[in-house]
Amino acid sequence: MRLPPAILGNAEEVLREILRFTAPADVTLSRYFKDHPRLGGRERGAIAECIYSVLRNKNFYTEFGGFGTGASATMRRLVLLGMADAIGAESLGGLSEDETAFLARIKEIDRSLLPAKNRSNLPDWLYDKFVAQYGEEETLQLAAVLNTPAPLDLRVNTLKTDREKVIAELATAPIVAEPTPYAATGLRVMKKPALQNLPLFKEGAIEVQDEGSQVLAQLLGARRGEMVVDFCAGAGGKTLAIGAIIRSTGRLYAFDVSEKRLTKLKPRLARSGLSNVHPVVIAHERDAKVKRLAGKIDRVLVDAPCSGMGTLRRNPDVKWRQQPEGVAELTEKQASILDAASRLVKFGGRLVYATCSLLDEENEGIAAQFLANHPDFELVPMNKVLAEQRIPLEMGDYLKMLPHKHGTDGFFAAVFERKAADKPAKAAKADDAAADADE
């Protein structure tokens, strides 16, 4: 059954707003759907897929879709191309003969013959950075995967069930799920079913979480009874994963500067069955609430604010909204947050720095700078950490999970440990007193 012609007008309207890049695409889409309650589920799905197709392929669409006269005609053609790629031109109703012929011509283009930069559908500055890091051939492999939708990954809450039971129960829905290759509690669902109404979801037996994100929680190596801090907790996905790992024992702090993000943790926390999580809103990374815990924490995870270039399968608008100047500002913030978080770690404790970025300056660059400025910390080679956690990945000093190699979002992680104390106990107490006075 064809979609009604009016759907193209809806898609044009919301695309025009999204291409201003004043807000994340998913936020703009959600607001638009809320303001247009008469749109059905099928129509909403088609509009969303169209928008994401345009964002993934904007370079190609702009080059071959800009034949109309004026901005309105160009926007119409962008929507036509997005819809055709997302749901098929045959599903569109109300097309003119010219528009049908236009889509047929575009379909005949062999995109593999386009120049490499055009083929990547990346902004020039990002394409150049990737080529400098990975070389042109691997950049094109990476870009090709970044321009496809991500699968749906789930984390099984082992406080309530196990993977095999969840696979069996999902099959009755019917939803096909397979174990992820790296995360011990992960499942991958290739389609994107509605999970909110499933008893498994309502009871907290499953959470939506990318496999790479689950691996980051494992790298912390947290043990039962320990004091742990998720320093940039956001909506708490990794907090919940860590809580399950330590079986709701010890004390787990979820810090974030955004009260709104931490509010999203509350219903998830209620479903999870965890009783050891303490969400804390902080004003900044050097808040007094942070300083009070100086030198007392066994494990600290810093999943730092970053460019998000590793999440382009899910958030393709990020590559157009982010600019090189913004990345430079982020690296300053990342270094400051990591420095502040490191002060929480007790002697012999572990600190994990992570991002969902693919850019060296946000990853290895920050790790190297931290080690240079903090001689009391040492790098723990990632291959050692992965072996310790029985994660079947081959890495060097750092974790680098790449969409085209590992099937996850792009993630980086470095693991540090604070060297054992080598100063007298009186000196250590004086340091604690100075820290308290600094508050």
Side-chain angles (χ1 to χ4, degrees), residues 103-139:
L103 290 177
R105 287 198 306 274
I106 299 301
K107 189 175 182 179
E108 292 176 358
I109 295 173
D110 185 347
R111 301 187 193 187
S112 67
L113 300 179
L114 296 174
K117 188 170 285 190
N118 298 59
R119 209 154 68 239
S120 74
N121 272 296
L122 296 170
D124 288 351
W125 72 270
L126 185 58
Y127 176 81
D128 292 340
K129 277 185 178 290
F130 281 171
V131 169
Q133 289 180 203
Y134 304 110
E136 185 176 89
E137 184 179 351
E138 188 169 0
T139 292

Side-chain angles (χ1 to χ4, degrees), residues 113-181:
L113 300 179
L114 296 174
K117 188 170 285 190
N118 298 59
R119 209 154 68 239
S120 74
N121 272 296
L122 296 170
D124 288 351
W125 72 270
L126 185 58
Y127 176 81
D128 292 340
K129 277 185 178 290
F130 281 171
V131 169
Q133 289 180 203
Y134 304 110
E136 185 176 89
E137 184 179 351
E138 188 169 0
T139 292
L140 290 175
Q141 294 171 9
L142 171 61
V145 174
L146 289 175
N147 285 324
T148 61
L152 176 65
D153 287 356
L154 308 176
R155 178 182 61 81
V156 175
N157 182 359
T158 53
L159 290 179
K160 299 197 169 189
T161 186
D162 60 48
R163 276 207 294 199
E164 294 309 313
K165 289 179 182 177
V166 170
I167 290 172
E169 190 164 341
L170 286 174
T172 66
I175 297 170
V176 178
E178 298 179 350
T180 51

Side-chain angles (χ1 to χ4, degrees), residues 320-375:
W320 308 115
R321 289 195 294 113
Q322 191 62 262
Q323 299 296 327
E325 306 79 42
V327 175
E329 291 175 9
L330 281 166
T331 58
E332 292 182 17
K333 189 69 174 173
Q334 289 155 357
S336 178
I337 290 173
L338 183 56
D339 174 71
S342 71
R343 302 182 186 199
L344 300 177
V345 183
K346 64 166 57 173
F347 293 110
R350 176 170 290 188
L351 172 66
V352 176
Y353 172 75
T355 75
C356 54
S357 175
L358 297 167
L359 301 176
D360 285 348
E361 58 261 50
E362 298 184 85
N363 297 334
E364 292 95 329
I366 298 295
Q369 179 183 341
F370 176 78
L371 286 170
N373 295 335
H374 296 80

Side-chain angles (χ1 to χ4, degrees), residues 41-366:
R42 183 166 176 251
E43 286 82 2
R44 291 179 182 217
I47 291 170
E49 290 301 317
C50 167
I51 296 302
Y52 280 98
S53 186
V54 172
L55 291 170
R56 291 190 179 101
N57 299 284
K58 191 165 79 74
N59 278 357
F60 174 75
Y61 288 179
T62 301
E63 181 173 353
F64 291 94
F67 302 122
T69 56
S72 178
T74 298
M75 195 65 61
R76 169 86 173 179
R77 290 197 165 190
L78 287 174
V79 165
L80 288 174
L81 289 167
M83 284 286 187
D85 269 357
I87 63 172
E90 65 281 357
S91 299
L92 301 175
L95 300 187
S96 68
E97 288 185 13
D98 285 346
E99 288 173 335
T100 301
F102 164 71
L103 290 177
R105 287 198 306 274
I106 299 301
K107 189 175 182 179
E108 292 176 358
I109 295 173
D110 185 347
R111 301 187 193 187
S112 67
L113 300 179
L114 296 174
K117 188 170 285 190
N118 298 59
R119 209 154 68 239
S120 74
N121 272 296
L122 296 170
D124 288 351
W125 72 270
L126 185 58
Y127 176 81
D128 292 340
K129 277 185 178 290
F130 281 171
V131 169
Q133 289 180 203
Y134 304 110
E136 185 176 89
E137 184 179 351
E138 188 169 0
T139 292
L140 290 175
Q141 294 171 9
L142 171 61
V145 174
L146 289 175
N147 285 324
T148 61
L152 176 65
D153 287 356
L154 308 176
R155 178 182 61 81
V156 175
N157 182 359
T158 53
L159 290 179
K160 299 197 169 189
T161 186
D162 60 48
R163 276 207 294 199
E164 294 309 313
K165 289 179 182 177
V166 170
I167 290 172
E169 190 164 341
L170 286 174
T172 66
I175 297 170
V176 178
E178 298 179 350
T180 51
Y182 311 120
T185 56
L187 290 174
R188 179 154 296 159
V189 180
M190 296 315 296
K191 294 184 179 180
K192 296 189 177 179
L195 299 172
Q196 290 82 350
N197 295 323
L198 293 179
L200 281 170
F201 183 83
K202 290 179 178 180
E203 295 162 7
I206 55 172
E207 278 283 343
V208 175
Q209 187 176 22
D210 183 81
E211 181 186 18
S213 178
Q214 296 180 49
V215 168
L216 293 185
Q218 287 182 252
L219 297 182
L220 205 54
R223 299 175 183 142
R224 297 186 188 194
E226 290 186 330
M227 291 182 69
V228 182
V229 169
D230 186 354
F231 202 82
C232 305
K238 282 178 279 295
T239 304
L240 299 177
I242 295 165
I245 289 171
I246 59 178
R247 309 299 295 178
S248 198
T249 64
R251 197 169 181 86
L252 175 54
Y253 292 95
F255 287 158
D256 205 273
V257 295
S258 171
E259 185 174 4
K260 183 177 180 180
R261 284 196 292 265
L262 281 179
T263 299
K264 293 179 181 178
L265 168 60
K266 290 181 180 179
R268 303 172 77 186
L269 185 56
R271 291 194 303 267
S272 72
L274 295 172
S275 59
N276 65 334
V277 177
H278 302 272
V280 180
V281 180
I282 57 175
H284 46 73
E285 64 266 25
R286 303 192 186 280
D287 192 305
K289 297 170 189 173
V290 176
K291 290 183 178 180
R292 289 192 192 103
L293 296 173
K296 299 175 182 177
I297 305 299
D298 296 284
R299 317 270 168 167
V300 177
L301 172 63
V302 179
D303 184 11
C306 69
S307 65
M309 291 305 169
T311 69
L312 294 185
R313 295 184 305 169
R314 302 175 197 280
N315 308 299
D317 57 311
V318 167
K319 63 185 176 185
W320 308 115
R321 289 195 294 113
Q322 191 62 262
Q323 299 296 327
E325 306 79 42
V327 175
E329 291 175 9
L330 281 166
T331 58
E332 292 182 17
K333 189 69 174 173
Q334 289 155 357
S336 178
I337 290 173
L338 183 56
D339 174 71
S342 71
R343 302 182 186 199
L344 300 177
V345 183
K346 64 166 57 173
F347 293 110
R350 176 170 290 188
L351 172 66
V352 176
Y353 172 75
T355 75
C356 54
S357 175
L358 297 167
L359 301 176
D360 285 348
E361 58 261 50
E362 298 184 85
N363 297 334
E364 292 95 329
I366 298 295

